[in-house]
Every structure is written in structure tokens, then in C-alpha cells.
Amino acid sequence: MVREATRGEAIARAAETPHIVLNAPLVGQRLGYAELSGLDLLELFAFIHPARFAVPTPAGLSRAVGLEPPAREADAAAVLRKIAAMLLDVLGDPTWAEREGAWTANASLQRLGWGWAALVGARLERPERGERMLFSRLPQWEESGEQAPPLATSVAPRDAEAKLAELTGKDAEPRQGQKAMAATAAPVFAPRQARDGPNMLLAEAGTGIGKTLAYLAPASIWAERSGGTVWISTFTKALQRQLDSEGRRLFADANERAKRLVVRKGRENYLCLLNLEDALQGGFAGRAAILAQLVGRWAAYTKDGDMVGGDLPGWLPSLFRRAGSTALSDRRGECVYGGCPHYRRCFIERAERAGREADLVIANHALVMINAARSRETAPQQIVFDEGHHLFDAADSTFAVALSGQEAIEMRRWIVGPEGRSRGRRRGLAARLMDVASYDEEGGRALEQAIEAARALPSDGWIGRIAEGAPFGPVEALLAEVRGTVYARAKAQDAGYGLETELADPDGALVDCSAAALETLEALHKPLSVLSRRLEAVLEDAPDWLDSQARARVEGAINGLKWRRETLSAWAALLARIGGAADADFVDWLSVDRVDGREYDIAVNRRWLDPTRPLAEAVLKSAQGVVVTSATLRGGDGWETADQRTGAAHLDSMVGHFEAESPFDYGACSEVLIVTDIRQGDIASIAGGYARLIEAAEGGTLGLFTAIARLKAVHARIADRLARAGLPLLAQHVDPIDAGTLVDIFRDDPRASLLGTDALRDGVDVPGESLRLVVMERVPWPRPTVLHAARRMAGGGSAYDDRVVRARLAQAFGRLIRRQGDRGVFVILSAAMPSRLLRAFPSGVRVSRVPLDEAIRRVREMLASGERSVVERGSEAVADFD
Ligand code: SF4
């Protein structure tokens, strides 16, 4: 029987007896009872079907287990019991594919007090023979020989066109823009023409052109003929996933596809098996230990061990309030390589080796840039930067330097290892290099000196000591001075968020402290350099005990040391500037990071005024061929802007430009409305506007905000009202769910709406009726930071701001129409929208300034003019939307 209960009764009942729930943290948050726990269906699903995708809603989970989704919200409670029964039935099914390991994992989960363990245990047959250990079930990677350099070869435009025709299929409608792009991109893959610059093409391809296949066609031909690898670099995980699935067109056979098309990410994304083993053997306690067991189930069935955006459900870590999930990856570069018992099965090592032999590697901008910057030998030679309008920002953060308390403490931990009460297997340099240190006297001495010098860096409790005016050591003393300067100079102190101030005219105390901190950094840099040299010498001498595993461990240490020495040098250059002359190439500033008034980091920061300079030097100039593409590469401006934002302006070689307009008739399928009667900053009327617009569109709305505080305030005012109308409202920064899963839920439910900030403006790919209205609360002006002020001054003042805003508007509008047949309205709730910014929108789109009532009428009208009702159509399969 299903009946309604009041909030109070629901809390009381749930506290008394464990109930079946779906996403306990979310339900708890909606009830205002954060401690809610129970029999969470998502945990059961993760146990029974690890590495399988499911949208974490009653409808999504119903579909995942083969049930009809509930027609009405009131039917959802009954369906939860059915889902539980169907899942538990799987345990007795002899064809259950994920049986191996379940009995052992459940026995551990029972000891940990997992709610489902008894029910699962009662239905699971004890295996006749003991189950193999998880780690011995994982496949080993094979060592491959040296890769031969790619052969010099070219791709003729007609070959690229023919390949494109093969990929799109003979029945596909010919798309001229796509064909032209494939032909224009082909010469980029020829041997390079200039000594110090790649063959480079900037291609702006409007939404709907099909640019992915347009560049994959020549790229795949080149890879096949030359034996080399093309790196396809994206900014968002959504595009990475899309590219991964486009691989089916290139390589129909799954085994071949797995070899020739590989997704690569930064190592911090992958599960570290040594950390997992530590967690399974008692390193984790309470709920985190349960998470470790479920991750252990997943590890045996995952395609590639990618924990972020791979096949680990994005919702799984948030069920455990993220307890422990980050400690399962190798975030701090503490890998012991050949010294690790799981080295031959390690997901990271496997991905890296697979990438070396693949035709196409799908990666992100940051990884491509880091690989190129760290070593010219391993720098990608042929690169396609998709979502190229993000290159500037990606380079900006990749080439940034920050000497902060958090960064310095990471450096100390990497060298010194665990201190005081810290748990776990984390080891310092001495433990990792014990054998080398006892073999090589000079190396051993350098190691001791490095550890001694690292003890002068900040340690646990540093921020508390600074707040109390009792810093320890020269770097903490410097950060204390930085903090004092920031509080003395920064404006807007009461909002409780980050504070910053320019690094100009530092006072005497700050200059003195930086000189002392500089000495500390140099005292650490020297023994690390000696140690690196000695390790290289040991590799060259190759003593008897240096087997291939020890060699891999020493090589790992050399790489780690190189990276740390570079960081120390960058910090030293930054400190040398305090009290010295400013460098016009950089923007330096001081900051205190806070959340809700609580301080969590203090830093001296440095960014390149123009980060495309190191991008050009480190990445572009060493490449053979580079295609940069995006639907909004110019952001409503000319090619000069695109050249500047992609690094092309810093190359001596010729750069080609290509442009193909979107085939969509934007004038017929979309319009832009600027609402004139909502006062800026009046939260009550902004919230009212959102609620009425969402009601008019019957959901299907993406609400974009420029400040988290305003997003939260609007959500708090309208969520209940919309829920009563059967219109679910999801919100980033409010719901305890990761952004990727929020988008999955939004996509899956045409009556849902989603509120979010920047990440959603750029990463939401929801074709079909699930997204039919985008509402921006105000014009997305850049925040007035020190960095922004410097770039604004260098970039032409208000013209620079205009460029930034136009690019953001173009991106936001781009969420609306993703494929042929989409319709939608774009609303800005701010009359203060300058007309000069309106060219951010595609030509043909009607832009009107109207009162809210009229906007609501137009939203209804636009949606009613669709062929079918929104609810009937729902969200349809993704066809072509790049
Ligand atoms: S080789 Fe390194 S990253 Fe891989 S499992 Fe071992 S310690 Fe973790």
C-alpha cells in the first residue's frame, strides 16, 4: 500500500526503521533531515550491476532493470519496491554476468553493516570454490617495444571526402559544410611546411555541421597510413563521451576499437589499485569502507578504471557524501610504479601504454598541454582541439603558478611522507628510494638533505597557526604576511568568499619574508637536483639489482622530481619578484580563499597576461599539424580574435581559416527575449520570473546564473512551488549530486528544469525537447578580479569585456538548438543588455525587448507551435549535434 505522509512523519518513520529509498542524501536534503539513511536502491544497483549506466531516478532505474517507468509521481513509491525485488531476483539468475566476486564482497559488506547485506546474502549462493582475488582477476598490460616515429604522409582532400562519405553512410543527406571542412582539414596532416610552426587550421563550424566526423575523416586516414597517433582534445567530458561513441563508426569491431581509439585523462581520474587495496584492508572506516567495497566491485568490470566521467556512476561517490572517493585515485603523485604489486594491472599504466599505440587518443586540453610542456619527445604531433574556444582558459590554468599553503604542504608530504597521526600507506621519498639510497652514497646524502629542507615547508595545522599569529618556518611566515596584506587592502570582505589584492608596492615585512622563503625553496631545490642526477647515473650504470620493476620505479621518481623542481623554480621566480621589478608578461596577486567566511588557503599567484604565449611555445610549435575547431571560435568577432585566443597569433607559419555556417534556420526555430521589467538585484522578482517562465514552458528549462549565492536564493524561493506543479527543479551547488548526473536526470525527464553556473553554460549537451528554454538571470560580465583588470587594460578596455560577454552569450545560446527539429526560447532577465552585444547570437534570430508577461506569452506560443506536445515527444536519441 502507498500512502502520503507529512514531512515530520516521514522523518520519524525513516529514523525508526530503514526504508527503501532512492538517493538517500538527496531525499534527506529535501526532507531537511541530512542524516537520513536507509536501504538505498542505488547502492544495491551499484553492487549488482557495477559499471552499468543508470539515471538515478525512479524512471531511470525502472528502465535500467526493464520495468515500465512510473506514469505519475504518485506511482514512484510503489515502483521502488518493484525495482528492489527485480534487483534481488538477479542474484539467483544463473546468467547474471557480474556474479564473480559478489559473494566475497557481500561478506565484507555484512561485516561493515551495509543495510542490503543480509538480503543479498540470503539470495547469493556460496561459490563452490573460493572466488579469485579482485586483483588477480584484472588483466595485465603487455609491454610494447619502442614506437617507430610516424611515416611522413599526406591526406588528399578527395580521400578525406571519400572517408567522410563512408563514415556518414550512403543514405545520409550530403552536408556541404561538413564535406568542405573535411577537405580543408586534410592538408593539415601533411609534413609540416615551416621550421618553427605547425600546419594549422582554425575552423569555425556552426552547430549541426557535423564537425566531429569532418575532422575524424582525415585524422583516421593519416593515423592509418603513417602509423602515428592523432590526439583529439576536448574541454568537456560530454564531448569526450560523444567522441568515444563516434568511434563505433570508425571501428565497428569492439576489440579493434578498444585498441585503436583510446580515451586518456590525467592520472588523478583513475582508480589506483594500491590505494583501493589499502582501503579494502582497513584503511577506510564507516561509510567510506562501504564505498571502497562497491568501487572494488566496479574495478573488476570497468572498461578502463576511469572514476570521473568513465563508467563509475557519477552518483556513486555522492551517495557517500564523497567520503573517500578522492583518496582512491593517485591525486598526489605518490605512485611507486614498479614498486607497486599491482603495477602490471594498473589502469593508469594500461591507459598510457594503450595511448602510445592507438590511432586516435581522446584527451582533454589540460592533458595535451601538460604532456607537451613536460617533454618534447612525448609531445603530441597531430592535434585536433575541439571546443577550441576554451583553449585560452585551459592554457590559463595549465600554465598558472601559485605558491599556496595547500600546494606547499603537498610538496612536503611528497618528500617527507606521513607525519604525526596520518593514516594510510602514503610514503615519502626515502621509503620509495630506500634501495637506491643505500646503493649510492651521494644520492643517499642528497635524499637526507632534501627531507631536512622540506621540513621547513608548511605542515598540518598551518592555517590555524597563521590565524593565531604563530607561523612555523619561513614559508608559513610569508603566508602570514600575505594574509595580513590581503585583509588590509582587499575590498568586499563581508561576503565570506575569496579575497585578493594586487602584488604592488609590497611593504618591508612582506619583502623580508619572501627573501627568507626564497632561501628555503633554494635549499630544497639543490638536493633534489643532485638526487635527480644520481638517479639518472644509477639508471645508466644499471647495477644487478635493477630489474625492470626497480627501473620503472626510479624512472617514476626522476619524473616526479623533475616536476617538483620545476614547481620550486616557478615559486622562486615568483618570490624574487616581490620587492623586485614587475614582469610585464605576468599578472601577480595575493589571495585568501574562503568559503562561507572560513579560510582554507592563502597564496601568491601568477598567471600569464597572455597564456596563449606558453601555449604556442610549448604545444603548437612542437606539433606537426593542429586543427582548432568550435561552433563559436570567433565569438561573434573577426578571425583576429580567434588567432589571439588560440595562440595562432604567436606563430610565424601560415594559419588557415575555415568557416561553415550552421544549417539551422535559427529565425524559425528560436528567439531571444530581453525582459525589461525585472529590476537587477531584486531576488524576489527574479525568482518570480524564473518560476513563471518554467511553468509556461512546462519544465525543460536551463537556468544560468553568474553567482552561486543568487542561484541558491532563487532555488529556495521557487523549488516547492514548481514541485507542487509536477515540475522538478534540479540545482547545481544545492543538490548533493555531481553536475554530470544532474544533466543526465535533466535530459531524461522533459518536465525537469536545471539551474547552474558556468560549467553548465559550456558543457550541457541536451538535444531534443528536454531543453526548450534557456534563462539567464543577467548579462554575464566578467568578475572584477585583479587578473581580469590587467587583461582588460591590455585588451582594449570595454572592448575586451564585450568580447568575453559575447563569447559567453554565444555559448549559452548554443545549448538551445542542438539538432534539426529543436525549438526554443532564450530569455535574459535584465533590461541592461547593451545592443552591441547582440551580435553574439546567430544571424536570423529575432531579438525583442519585452515585459515579463509578453515573454511568458511568447514562450507558450513558441512551444505550442511545435508539432507535438513536449511531454509526448520527450527526449529523443542523440543523432548529430556537434
Ligand atoms: S602503479 Fe601506481 S597508480 Fe598504479 S596501482 Fe600502483 S601505486 Fe597505484
Side-chain angles (χ1 to χ4, degrees):
M1 185 193 73
V2 175
R3 65 176 181 81
E4 287 191 6
T6 61
R7 186 175 148 265
E9 189 194 351
I11 293 174
R13 295 286 297 265
E16 223 167 68
T17 332
H19 280 60
I20 295 177
V21 289
L22 197 156
N23 198 339
L26 182 67
V27 177
Q29 192 221 49
R30 299 257 156 100
L31 283 174
Y33 174 52
E35 303 78 46
L36 179 88
S37 61
L39 294 163
D40 200 323
L41 281 177
L42 293 176
E43 291 177 24
L44 183 63
F45 184 85
F47 177 87
I48 293 176
H49 296 306
R52 215 183 269 191
F53 177 79
V55 179
T57 57
L61 223 50
S62 300
R63 272 194 286 275
V65 301
L67 274 174
E68 195 55 39
R72 297 168 309 142
E73 210 159 79
D75 301 332
V79 101
L80 296 191
R81 285 175 53 167
K82 282 194 203 149
I83 294 170
M86 299 240 343
L87 282 172
L88 290 171
D89 281 351
V90 171
L91 300 167
D93 180 350
T95 63
W96 176 31
E98 298 103 338
R99 178 179 296 279
E100 181 154 30
W103 198 87
T104 313
N106 192 58
S108 301
L109 283 163
Q110 185 134 28
R111 283 194 294 279
L112 293 168
W114 188 47
W116 290 104
L119 291 162
V120 169
R123 289 162 176 81
L124 258 187
E125 229 174 84
R126 187 185 186 123
E128 280 172 22
R129 280 179 291 137
E131 288 179 315
R132 286 184 298 157
M133 284 280 293
L134 160 70
F135 300 106
S136 57
R137 275 186 277 141
L138 296 173
Q140 298 200 0
W141 44 260
E142 298 292 325
E143 194 64 88
S144 57
E146 278 288 289
Q147 279 294 108
L151 301 173
T153 184
S154 300
V155 180
R158 67 174 177 285
D159 291 352
E161 287 173 0
K163 181 76 183 176
L164 177 67
E166 184 191 317
L167 293 176
T168 51
K170 59 179 180 342
D171 300 330
E173 260 179 52
R175 291 196 267 185
Q176 283 315 315
Q178 187 183 40
K179 203 169 150 195
M181 183 169 160
T184 313
V188 171
F189 295 90
R192 79 183 203 175
Q193 308 294 314
R195 194 171 154 264
D196 210 15
N199 305 327
M200 188 161 178
L201 174 72
L202 304 188
E204 184 173 89
T207 309
I209 288 292
K211 66 177 158 36
T212 309
L213 291 180
Y215 61 70
L216 282 178
S220 58
I221 298 177
W222 181 84
E224 177 139 16
R225 288 183 188 164
S226 70
T229 303
V230 180
W231 285 64
I232 315 282
S233 181
T234 75
F235 189 73
T236 63
K237 298 211 167 78
L239 181 60
Q240 243 179 28
R241 274 202 294 249
Q242 187 208 335
L243 275 161
D244 196 16
S245 62
E246 293 283 17
R248 286 192 188 93
R249 301 200 202 203
L250 279 168
F251 312 110
D253 176 72
N255 288 332
E256 192 191 357
R257 188 163 64 245
K259 275 203 182 127
R260 298 180 65 178
L261 180 100
V262 169
V263 176
R264 282 275 326 265
K265 296 191 179 170
R267 53 188 303 127
E268 67 286 357
N269 288 275
Y270 295 91
L271 174 68
C272 164
L273 293 170
L274 196 54
N275 283 353
L276 176 66
E277 184 180 31
D278 180 50
L280 294 175
Q281 290 179 350
F284 280 15
R287 290 278 294 159
I290 294 178
L291 171 66
Q293 290 291 339
L294 295 178
V295 171
R297 284 279 293 146
W298 163 81
Y301 296 96
T302 172
K303 177 179 150 210
D304 56 8
D306 174 5
M307 293 182 73
V308 190
D311 54 13
L312 182 78
W315 39 260
L316 187 62
S318 40
L319 295 182
F320 295 83
R321 283 138 180 124
R322 310 211 79 78
S325 79
T326 45
L328 291 173
S329 52
D330 178 40
R331 295 193 82 77
R332 294 180 180 157
E334 285 171 320
C335 174
V336 288
Y337 297 90
C340 168
H342 309 302
Y343 182 60
R344 294 303 300 260
R345 300 177 199 277
C346 172
F347 290 119
I348 303 170
E349 295 295 322
R350 181 140 43 106
E352 205 174 302
R353 277 164 183 78
R356 277 184 226 156
E357 290 171 13
D359 288 20
L360 302 170
V361 170
I362 300 167
N364 56 41
H365 295 350
L367 184 67
V368 170
M369 288 179 200
I370 289 167
N371 273 1
R374 290 215 176 126
S375 146
R376 265 187 116 81
E377 286 92 64
T378 56
Q381 294 296 293
Q382 297 285 5
I383 315 172
V384 178
F385 287 107
D386 201 335
E387 298 180 312
H389 56 281
H390 281 300
L391 268 184
F392 187 95
D393 291 335
D396 194 24
S397 38
T398 304
F399 299 106
V401 177
L403 169 52
S404 77
Q406 301 283 7
E407 295 282 332
I409 206 168
E410 285 294 317
M411 174 79 78
R412 176 188 175 118
R413 283 186 189 136
W414 189 78
I415 296 167
V416 178
E419 296 174 279
R421 284 175 288 117
S422 53
R423 295 160 54 97
R425 62 157 196 94
R426 307 208 175 276
R427 306 198 294 169
L429 258 189
R432 271 176 271 165
L433 295 174
M434 206 184 303
D435 45 3
V436 187
S438 55
Y439 169 79
D440 184 275
E441 206 179 310
E442 198 187 341
R445 240 188 344 264
L447 183 57
E448 274 171 28
Q449 286 164 0
I451 292 171
E452 196 46 44
R455 288 194 203 279
L457 294 176
S459 59
D460 285 337
W462 66 277
I463 207 154
R465 283 194 294 278
I466 287 178
E468 286 162 14
F472 166 80
V475 178
E476 284 190 17
L478 167 69
L479 295 174
E481 278 304 321
V482 168
R483 180 177 182 269
T485 309
V486 171
Y487 275 102
R489 295 185 185 179
K491 298 177 201 92
Q493 306 212 348
D494 38 9
Y497 291 103
L499 295 174
E500 57 172 46
T501 188
E502 276 171 83
L503 179 43
D505 301 324
D507 64 16
L510 187 60
V511 174
D512 291 347
C513 283
S514 6
L518 184 56
E519 274 178 30
T520 304
L521 300 183
E522 281 166 354
L524 177 56
H525 191 276
K526 265 189 216 133
L528 291 182
S529 301
V530 176
L531 182 57
S532 298
R533 267 204 317 277
R534 292 312 309 155
L535 293 179
E536 271 158 21
V538 168
L539 281 189
E540 260 169 41
D541 279 358
D544 296 346
W545 54 266
L546 197 76
D547 56 16
S548 65
Q549 301 226 334
R551 173 174 280 276
R553 185 159 42 82
V554 174
E555 280 168 355
I558 292 173
N559 282 335
L561 283 167
K562 179 167 179 265
W563 171 16
R564 263 84 192 177
R565 282 189 292 122
E566 281 168 10
T567 306
L568 283 169
S569 302
W571 287 351
L574 185 50
L575 293 191
R577 175 257 182 272
I578 301 182
D583 187 332
D585 285 340
F586 298 105
V587 184
D588 301 330
W589 75 97
L590 311 174
S591 65
V592 175
D593 292 338
R594 306 186 300 172
V595 169
D596 296 331
R598 194 178 53 80
E599 292 175 12
Y600 65 91
D601 208 359
I602 300 169
V604 186
N605 306 278
R606 164 166 282 190
R607 294 276 174 115
W608 283 83
L609 182 64
D610 176 2
T612 65
R613 281 184 51 194
L615 168 67
E617 284 304 320
V619 186
L620 304 181
K621 286 189 179 172
S622 60
Q624 293 286 323
V626 178
V627 176
V628 183
T629 183
S630 159
T632 55
L633 202 54
R634 291 175 298 170
D637 284 295
W639 282 115
E640 203 185 318
T641 301
D643 287 347
Q644 281 163 5
R645 303 281 295 180
T646 56
H650 299 299
L651 298 177
D652 295 331
S653 50
M654 289 278 289
V655 174
H657 297 124
F658 169 85
E659 174 189 352
E661 269 198 28
S662 166
F664 300 153
D665 181 356
Y666 284 106
C669 66
S670 63
E671 77 167 312
V672 174
L673 301 174
I674 300 165
V675 174
T676 51
D677 54 353
I678 287 189
R679 260 190 306 126
Q680 185 134 333
D682 179 352
I683 286 291
S685 55
I686 293 173
Y690 265 101
R692 291 182 62 199
L693 285 162
I694 292 172
E695 284 161 357
E698 298 170 39
T701 302
L702 177 66
L704 296 172
F705 289 78
T706 51
I708 297 173
R710 283 196 298 278
L711 180 156
K712 287 182 173 173
V714 166
H715 179 270
R717 281 168 191 260
I718 66 174
D720 278 355
R721 164 177 170 178
L722 294 172
R724 276 194 293 276
L727 299 169
L729 184 65
L730 304 156
Q732 209 193 355
H733 309 291
V734 176
D735 291 322
I737 304 179
D738 65 291
T741 305
L742 284 174
V743 175
D744 287 339
I745 300 174
F746 176 57
R747 183 186 290 119
D748 199 52
D749 181 355
R751 291 185 67 84
S753 296
L754 175 58
L755 307 183
T757 50
D758 295 10
L760 294 188
R761 184 186 62 222
D762 299 323
V764 171
D765 226 326
V766 179
E769 292 288 2
S770 281
L771 205 176
R772 45 198 179 264
L773 173 64
V774 174
V775 183
M776 282 193 115
E777 44 123 16
R778 58 167 69 180
V779 183
W781 294 110
R783 277 198 310 127
T785 59
V786 172
L787 181 60
H788 167 254
R791 289 193 179 142
R792 186 178 194 274
M793 197 186 283
S798 62
Y800 176 83
D801 282 355
D802 286 0
R803 279 200 295 277
V804 174
V805 177
R806 275 200 301 270
R808 290 178 179 177
L809 288 172
Q811 268 307 303
F813 182 88
R815 306 304 96 209
L816 200 56
I817 309 297
R818 306 301 295 161
R819 64 169 188 199
Q820 210 59 264
D822 282 0
R823 331 172 45 81
V825 184
F826 187 91
V827 177
I828 300 168
L829 295 179
S830 168
M833 170 80 179
S835 299
R836 65 180 187 278
L837 301 178
L838 299 179
R839 68 182 145 101
F841 301 112
S843 54
V845 181
R846 183 163 58 131
V847 181
S848 324
R849 293 178 187 269
V850 294
L852 181 63
D853 286 344
E854 173 63 11
I856 286 165
R857 196 187 63 73
R858 298 250 196 120
V859 167
R860 285 207 187 100
E861 202 173 76
M862 163 66 86
L863 298 167
S865 67
E867 284 169 7
R868 286 175 275 159
S869 103
V870 290
V871 181
E872 239 173 66
R873 280 180 74 177
S875 150
E876 291 167 5
V878 177
D880 45 69
F881 50 88
D882 54 326

